[in-house]
């Protein structure tokens, strides 16, 4: 085992690569405004003041990537080619096309990319245009994920989203015109005040965009957010579980009829190649480096996370080594729990052999309840089971 980074910084003890795909996640912590439902590690210019900027963040990112590559070089096996890169946030598109090109250049300067590497960036529709997408395509990005959330103005207002209805669809068209074959639109359903007609309008818009991937997430009111405070004060109703279930069924029906097939409970793709390989790496328990403020990493059963504030992050990188805030070596029980939690959500199914004796016994009850089927030794959720996926997980982890 090899420790990485100086003793003055609390850093994990690395284990060797697990032998599967290796991905890199880059966290961009900047947003123009803060959405009321968001609890991600993001900051507006007013919140940061002069403590950090995109320029200081990018310089620190280069330093972190260099330190990581140096640390990985000490492992018994060679660093595998990077199979996926995902730039998320925050709002990566605020960096502009040139800024995002620099991010990819920083990865390339320290790691070898696989010939068929999937390179994704999230983007806010309002901070994109055709030249932006053309710059990204020329830089080597292969996939675009756009935050649409809803096509209804009043729903966007409740979510504190700043883009206008229709802009997400237009941005998707621009991305495709720039040469992107793989474009995703994100939806959020179950927002207070959203009607069935609102959801149908959003789905109409998504399908008119001709994208090959759709992600749809139920609204979760996270503690500490502005929306949570409004719900607590009675200004907004909490999301209704029955409504959320009905909305999910509505989404699945429409997307399936249009040729988009679910491959994870909240994700649909037109083809196998349209699936987000980076996220699949997470769900399959793969290895990845998370770079940027607050980013999480995983390597060989060890997980670590960076300091959150961009200013402090830059300071720690400048000290040398990696800006790690904490780490943990996952126990066998923790690895088992994560394998079940994530594997159950995949259409490819959870191998019965991955379950312990109690889990296999519980799987028989799950099947008897109509929540899953067994095919070729794989436990696969039924349509009803997808609505109750969390309950299925709890049953299996007896």
């Amino acid at each position: 085992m090899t420790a990485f980074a100086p003793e003055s910084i609390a850093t994990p003890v690395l284990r060797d690569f697990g032998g599967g795909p290796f991905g890199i996640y880059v966290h961009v912590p900047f947003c123009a405004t803060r959405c009321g439902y968001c609890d991600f590690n993001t900051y507006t210019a007013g919140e940061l003041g002069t403590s950090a900027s995109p320029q200081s963040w990018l310089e620190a990112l280069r330093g972190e990537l260099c330190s990581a590559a140096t640390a990985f070089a000490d492992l018994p096996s060679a660093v595998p080619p990077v199979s996926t890169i995902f730039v998320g946030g925050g709002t990566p598109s605020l960096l502009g096309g040139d800024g995002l090109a620099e991010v990819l250049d920083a990865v390339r300067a320290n790691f070898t990319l696989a010939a068929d590497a999937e390179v994704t960036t999230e983007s806010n529709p309002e901070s994109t245009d055709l030249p932006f997408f053309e710059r990204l395509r020329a830089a080597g990005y292969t996939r675009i994920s756009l935050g649409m959330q809803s096509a209804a103005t009043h729903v966007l207002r409740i979510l504190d989203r700043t883009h206008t209805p229709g802009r997400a669809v237009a941005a998707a068209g621009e991305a495709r015109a720039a040469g992107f074959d793989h474009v995703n639109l994100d939806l959020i359903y179950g927002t207070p005040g959203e009607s069935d007609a609102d959801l149908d309008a959003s789905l109409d818009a998504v399908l008119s965009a001709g994208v090959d991937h759709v992600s749809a997430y139920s609204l979760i009111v996270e503690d500490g957010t502005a929306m949570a405070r409004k719900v607590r004060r009675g200004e907004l109703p909490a999301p209704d579980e029955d409504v959320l279930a009905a909305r999910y069924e509505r989404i699945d029906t429409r997307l399936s009829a249009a040729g988009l097939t679910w491959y994870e409970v909240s994700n649909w793709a037109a083809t196998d190649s349209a699936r987000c390989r980076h996220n699949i790496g997470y769900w399959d328990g793969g290895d990845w480096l998370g770079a940027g403020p607050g980013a999480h990493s995983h390597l060989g059963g060890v997980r670590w996370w960076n300091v959150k504030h961009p200013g402090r992050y830059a300071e720690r990188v400048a000290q040398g080594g990696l800006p790690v805030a904490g780490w943990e070596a996952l126990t066998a029980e923790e690895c088992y729990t994560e394998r079940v939690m994530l594997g159950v959500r995949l259409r490819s199914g959870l191998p019965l052999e991955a379950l312990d004796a109690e889990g296999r016994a519980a799987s028989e009850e799950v099947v008897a309840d109509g929540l899953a089927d067994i095919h070729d030794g794989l436990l696969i959720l039924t349509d009803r089971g997808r609505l109750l996926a969390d309950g299925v997980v709890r049953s299996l982890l007896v």
Side-chain angles (χ1 to χ4, degrees), residues 331-344 350 354 393 397:
T331 66
E333 182 179 356
E334 288 169 334
C335 289
Y336 175 77
T337 296
E338 290 197 0
R339 180 73 181 93
V340 173
M341 286 177 61
L342 299 173
V344 160
L350 177 68
V393 169
L397 295 175

Side-chain angles (χ1 to χ4, degrees), residues 29-87:
F30 308 110
C31 279
T33 60
R34 180 172 296 281
C35 298
Y37 62 92
C38 179
D39 70 338
F40 293 168
N41 185 44
T42 62
Y43 304 83
T44 64
E47 291 168 336
L48 282 174
T50 59
S51 64
S53 68
Q55 291 72 32
S56 64
W57 168 84
L58 183 56
E59 182 179 350
L61 176 71
R62 292 191 184 102
E64 183 186 6
L65 291 170
C66 180
S67 293
T70 299
F72 289 167
D74 290 336
L75 293 173
S77 65
V79 181
V82 178
S83 59
T84 64
I85 299 170
F86 195 105
V87 184

Side-chain angles (χ1 to χ4, degrees), residues 86-144:
F86 195 105
V87 184
T91 309
S93 49
L94 288 179
L95 299 177
D98 289 343
L100 284 168
E102 289 188 65
V103 170
L104 187 51
D105 286 343
V107 176
R108 287 198 185 103
N110 293 284
F111 295 90
T112 299
L113 271 61
D116 64 343
E118 173 194 87
V119 186
T120 304
T121 183
E122 295 179 335
S123 297
N124 186 314
E126 292 292 347
S127 51
T128 65
D129 54 24
L130 179 58
F132 168 84
F133 291 119
E134 290 175 336
R135 180 70 179 96
L136 294 187
R137 193 70 191 95
Y141 285 82
T142 66
R143 188 172 180 276
I144 297 294

Side-chain angles (χ1 to χ4, degrees), residues 154-155 191 193-200 247:
H154 69 99
V155 173
T191 300
E194 179 190 60
S195 66
D196 287 345
D198 292 330
L199 179 62
D200 285 339
R247 296 274 162 78

Side-chain angles (χ1 to χ4, degrees), residues 344 349-352 355 363 366-367 372-374 377-381 396:
V344 160
L350 177 68
L352 289 178
L355 295 170
S363 71
V366 168
V367 170
D373 293 320
I374 295 176
L378 297 168
L379 185 74
I380 302 173
L381 294 177
L396 296 175

Side-chain angles (χ1 to χ4, degrees), residues 160-186:
D160 294 323
R161 295 291 294 185
T162 58
H163 66 265
T164 56
R167 177 56 205 152
V169 171
E174 291 164 356
R176 294 175 64 214
F180 283 95
D181 294 325
H182 303 308
V183 181
N184 170 68
L185 284 173
D186 273 352

